[in-house]
Amino acid sequence: MIDNMSKLVKSLRIDNLINGSFKPSSSERRQPIYDPGAGEEIGFVPFSTKEEVKDAIGAAEAAYDKWSKIPVPDRIQYLFRLKNEMESHKDQLARSITLNHGKTISEAEGELERAIQNVESAISVAYTLYKGEYMPTVASGIDEMSERVPLGVFASINPFNFPIMVPFWFIPYALVLGNTIVVKPSEITPLGMFMVGEIFQKVFPPGVVNIVNGAKEVVDELLSNPSIKGITFVGSTNVAKYIYKTASENGKKVSASGGAKNFAVVMPDAKLEQTVANLIPSFFGNAGQRCLANANLVAVGGVYDELKRKFIEASKRLVVGYGFDRGTDIGPLVTESAKNRVQGYIEKGIEEGAKLVLDGRNVRVPDYPKGFYLGPTIFDEVSPDMVIAKEEIFGPVANIMRVESIEEAIELINRSRYGNAASIFTTSGVVARKFASEVIAGNIGVNVAVAQPMAFFPFGGMKESFFGVLHPQIETVNFYTDRKIVIQRWF
Ligand code: NAD
């Protein structure tokens, strides 16, 4: 299928990849999957049974012994092949993301680049950070060393909004360090990983990577199964808390990334043209469905009027449309219920007394009248205690707020329960430095509105945006290995 996307039919069935073979789930329970741009069903995803999850875990366990013993330079070759296969199928993979998620094709291509960069980063990890330490003669005739060891089978639970990139924050590192893995894609956007599964099937020995589709029941089996050594989760905060608590109680390592409500602060000395050009995609790109999306635009002092005018003007110029059309700036929301949820927040904002200065609810995409579209929506005069200012809306909705000083802006940000990202726009190094050091958020942008860390940095997250110690991307080297200390003496 990966070589011929045009074969995709309306009755696409998402199968599980278990022990190197694609198998249809025996479950009767299923959920439709959509092309959100057209507003049409394209197939369905099963809610796999507990037995199927156990089969996947069993396959990963059986593959572990041999996989973990492959010499590191040889194991790396599998990742080079993974990278090559992903690159040679970039178009098909990007199209699968756009088809099932709705984001624009250029956003999907960007997502894939980030996924591939994590494969490269994992390869570098195997040659560098994987190495241990050694000290001769820590006592007379005694040497001491530490070595990193893989742990066994891991599980990765993923959100809908980056169907391929987020699983790749974890999979390549787990594998290159000698572990095997069971991946659960989002049940809303499983198509991307289904396609990547064909590559896994071609590249890796059976059982090394397994994909099981479903929702809570699948997750609960992964959380309770004693063979799973650790769980990574990326998704909303309430579920992240549940995963963190349950996995910990069950004695597993856990890294759980949660939701976000990000602030962009604009100082009076900011270069407004460039600032607004940078801000717009951060609020509305991916239809606002990004954990690094900005949601609250904070104008400091006198910049307020001019910033507001420019921001609204630029937002009005955005083209809402089908993700496959190259002229589109903003694709649809991922499902009809996501669209309804965001509309609910817009109604809530009006009810709370915020001033709706741009209303995206009536946007029309003539060729796709059934698509789940919402245009850019902007509220002005938003106060920090309004629900729309506090909760994660996860849609193309921007709140404009005004404060009078950088101190007030920082205090506003630090009151949020979330701490995923924050950015500042200024020409003052002093102000930027104060912001970066005093704001409690894991990813800080200085004149950069989407502060997305490269694969070879950890993906930050603080407060209720992250639960655990070790963050996604390169830091997982410590998640996917343990340290064994060897103290030796030879008589
Ligand atoms: P979600 O929490 O609804 O679902 C994420 C995963 O958890 C899915 O695989 C789903 O099947 C599973 N799940 C859902 N409810 C569950 C339950 N009760 N018990 C067990 N498993 C359950 O998240 P989503 O809507 O798919 O994704 C959007 C969210 O993800 C947003 O909050 C966004 O901010 C967040 N996100 C965060 C980051 C980050 O790095 N912090 C990155 C991407 C997305």
Side-chain angles (χ1 to χ4, degrees), residues 1 8-14 33 42-45 99 191 194:
M1 185 177 66
L8 282 176
V9 285
K10 301 230 167 198
S11 57
L12 179 67
R13 184 188 69 208
I14 304 291
I33 58 169
I42 53 169
F44 69 90
V45 63
L99 180 67
L191 180 57
F194 184 43

Side-chain angles (χ1 to χ4, degrees), residues 158-161 184 187 216 233-236 258-259 291 392 459:
N158 298 286
F160 79 81
N161 63 332
K184 194 205 83 67
E187 64 278 27
K216 182 171 167 53
F233 170 86
V234 180
S236 56
C291 68
E392 182 177 39
F459 191 101

Side-chain angles (χ1 to χ4, degrees), residues 180-448:
T180 56
I181 196 161
V182 178
V183 182
K184 194 205 83 67
S186 161
E187 64 278 27
I188 300 170
T189 54
L191 180 57
M193 283 309 288
F194 184 43
M195 304 280 285
V196 175
E198 286 193 26
I199 293 176
F200 290 154
Q201 188 184 31
K202 196 165 159 188
V203 167
F204 293 103
V208 168
V209 198
N210 306 273
I211 304 176
V212 189
N213 290 285
K216 182 171 167 53
E217 296 77 3
V218 171
V219 174
D220 284 343
E221 179 57 34
L222 294 169
L223 285 170
S224 63
N225 194 298
S227 299
I228 298 284
K229 302 294 179 239
I231 299 244
T232 59
F233 170 86
V234 180
S236 56
T237 287
N238 286 347
V239 185
K241 278 184 183 171
Y242 167 71
I243 302 278
Y244 183 63
K245 183 169 177 284
T246 317
S248 311
E249 272 171 8
N250 292 339
K252 301 182 193 312
K253 294 181 98 172
V254 56
S255 165
S257 301
K261 186 81 181 178
N262 305 317
F263 292 73
V265 174
V266 180
M267 297 300 291
D269 64 358
K271 301 250 185 219
L272 264 197
E273 295 296 327
Q274 293 97 320
T275 297
V276 171
N278 209 255
L279 285 173
I280 292 291
S282 81
F283 278 85
F284 302 120
N286 215 345
Q289 302 167 113
R290 276 200 291 228
C291 68
L292 293 178
N294 277 311
N296 291 334
L297 177 58
V298 182
V300 179
V303 76
Y304 171 77
D305 288 319
E306 186 66 357
L307 172 67
K308 181 168 80 175
R309 190 180 62 73
K310 285 193 155 62
F311 187 76
I312 295 171
E313 263 173 22
S315 304
K316 282 182 179 162
R317 286 196 294 271
L318 293 172
V319 177
V320 179
Y322 198 47
F324 286 101
D325 296 340
R326 283 278 172 186
T328 295
D329 296 309
I330 306 184
L333 275 295
V334 73
T335 55
E336 187 150 37
S337 71
K339 178 181 166 178
N340 292 339
R341 194 180 42 76
V342 177
Q343 274 178 330
Y345 274 110
I346 298 173
E347 281 149 27
K348 181 77 190 163
I350 297 168
E351 209 179 281
E352 289 181 302
K355 192 167 157 198
L356 187 61
V357 289
L358 186 63
D359 186 353
R361 287 175 298 173
N362 299 321
V363 76
R364 296 282 169 265
V365 179
D367 290 342
Y368 300 96
K370 292 194 293 175
F372 311 137
Y373 296 100
L374 271 181
T377 297
I378 303 176
F379 280 109
D380 188 22
E381 297 175 21
V382 175
S383 67
D385 49 346
M386 289 180 181
V387 168
I388 56 164
K390 290 192 291 195
E391 291 186 8
E392 182 177 39
I393 297 177
F394 226 52
V397 180
N399 300 318
I400 303 180
M401 299 166 156
R402 176 178 176 151
V403 297
E404 297 311 320
S405 66
I406 181 65
E407 287 78 14
E408 213 186 315
I410 293 172
E411 199 198 318
L412 176 64
I413 298 172
N414 288 348
R415 276 212 304 268
S416 170
R417 68 188 278 226
Y418 296 109
N420 214 39
S423 52
I424 186 156
F425 287 81
T426 181
T427 47
S428 161
V430 175
V431 169
R433 187 170 184 279
K434 179 181 174 67
F435 185 87
S437 69
E438 292 181 19
V439 163
I440 307 168
N443 304 291
I444 302 284
V446 176
N447 298 312
V448 170

